[in-house]
Amino acid sequence: MSLRKVAAQLGSGPMRLYGYIATKEELLDLMVDAVYGEMIAEGPFEGTWQDTLRTMAHRMRGAAHRHAWLTELLSGRPLRGPNAMTYSEAALAALGSQKGFEDIAVTLQTLKTVTAYVVGALLDEASERHAIQASGMTQEEWQLATYPYLQRVLATGRFPNIARIVEEVEHPSQAEEFERGLRIILDGVAARMKR
């Protein structure tokens, strides 16, 4: 993405865009804020705190799947655009109204923890898409191609836990893996609240 490409799409010159934005980073912030606007349009957060966090996580994942460039821009400093702030305020309010989230610091840390998980999972998914594109092999094809090497390495006995993963762990779809990880995070929040 460049200002030159955006200007070309708009049928304008890049210098004309500088009348509206100062830098490429500002344009990227506006793009991300527009996506937060899409997530707001999906409706209010409703239900239990688990429902709120699950909805937030799935909205962010859905947005990243619709806009491949988004994942890379989600980490870093909090965004201060009007849609991002409205979205954050709605999530904070939905959690803050729940028992166990009276302390705003706990509420904020919970949101940050779930967001960190989501961004990490999205980066993992994006990395897999990039690997498929770069190698021309699906994950399954790559695993089959590298399996003889893996067998030789595991036969040394130096990696018993990795051997257990290969032999015992079911490798679900990305959607199921995302949901499993989210359940672990939510279970951790629930355990903390019981203390």
Side-chain angles (χ1 to χ4, degrees), residues 103-126:
D103 183 343
I104 192 70
V106 169
T107 305
L108 176 62
Q109 191 60 57
T110 302
L111 283 174
K112 288 174 80 171
T113 300
V114 172
T115 300
Y117 165 72
V118 172
V119 171
L122 291 173
L123 286 170
D124 192 45
E125 290 179 16

Side-chain angles (χ1 to χ4, degrees), residues 57-91:
H58 284 283
R59 282 184 186 177
M60 192 172 287
R61 184 172 186 261
H65 283 216
R66 288 189 304 276
H67 306 285
W69 48 266
L70 180 65
T71 299
E72 186 179 329
L73 301 176
L74 284 174
S75 59
R77 291 185 176 162
L79 294 166
R80 300 288 183 229
N83 291 323
M85 290 181 69
T86 299
Y87 187 82
S88 295
E89 181 66 26

Side-chain angles (χ1 to χ4, degrees), residues 2-79:
S2 69
L3 290 177
R4 184 174 308 281
K5 290 178 184 176
V6 170
Q9 287 288 323
L10 296 173
S12 175
M15 295 311 292
R16 183 144 175 129
L17 288 180
Y18 285 112
Y20 299 96
I21 57 170
T23 64
K24 176 181 172 181
E25 286 69 31
E26 189 177 337
L27 176 60
L28 295 174
D29 287 347
L30 290 169
M31 290 167 56
V32 172
D33 199 59
V35 174
Y36 273 98
E38 291 175 11
M39 292 190 288
I40 292 166
E42 293 180 39
F45 295 109
E46 297 176 332
T48 66
W49 64 265
Q50 295 96 326
D51 295 332
T52 295
L53 293 171
R54 183 171 276 108
T55 298
M56 187 187 86
H58 284 283
R59 282 184 186 177
M60 192 172 287
R61 184 172 186 261
H65 283 216
R66 288 189 304 276
H67 306 285
W69 48 266
L70 180 65
T71 299
E72 186 179 329
L73 301 176
L74 284 174
S75 59
R77 291 185 176 162
L79 294 166

Side-chain angles (χ1 to χ4, degrees), residues 82-192:
N83 291 323
M85 290 181 69
T86 299
Y87 187 82
S88 295
E89 181 66 26
L92 288 165
L95 283 180
S97 67
Q98 305 279 332
K99 186 175 185 303
F101 290 97
E102 297 84 5
D103 183 343
I104 192 70
V106 169
T107 305
L108 176 62
Q109 191 60 57
T110 302
L111 283 174
K112 288 174 80 171
T113 300
V114 172
T115 300
Y117 165 72
V118 172
V119 171
L122 291 173
L123 286 170
D124 192 45
E125 290 179 16
S127 176
E128 180 58 32
R129 283 192 303 274
H130 177 73
I132 289 169
Q133 196 172 36
S135 69
M137 289 190 282
T138 67
Q139 186 174 29
E140 293 79 17
E141 291 167 338
W142 178 80
Q143 287 172 338
L144 285 172
T146 59
Y147 191 67
Y149 163 77
L150 185 60
Q151 281 183 307
R152 287 192 306 276
V153 170
L154 295 180
T156 67
R158 291 180 47 213
F159 307 102
N161 289 301
I162 294 173
R164 286 187 63 207
I165 290 170
V166 171
E167 294 167 10
E168 298 174 26
V169 174
E170 179 184 322
H171 299 286
S173 68
Q174 287 181 336
E176 178 59 27
E177 191 168 319
F178 180 83
E179 188 59 36
R180 285 181 183 182
L182 183 57
R183 272 190 303 245
I184 290 170
I185 298 294
L186 297 181
D187 288 349
V189 173
R192 184 206 168 279

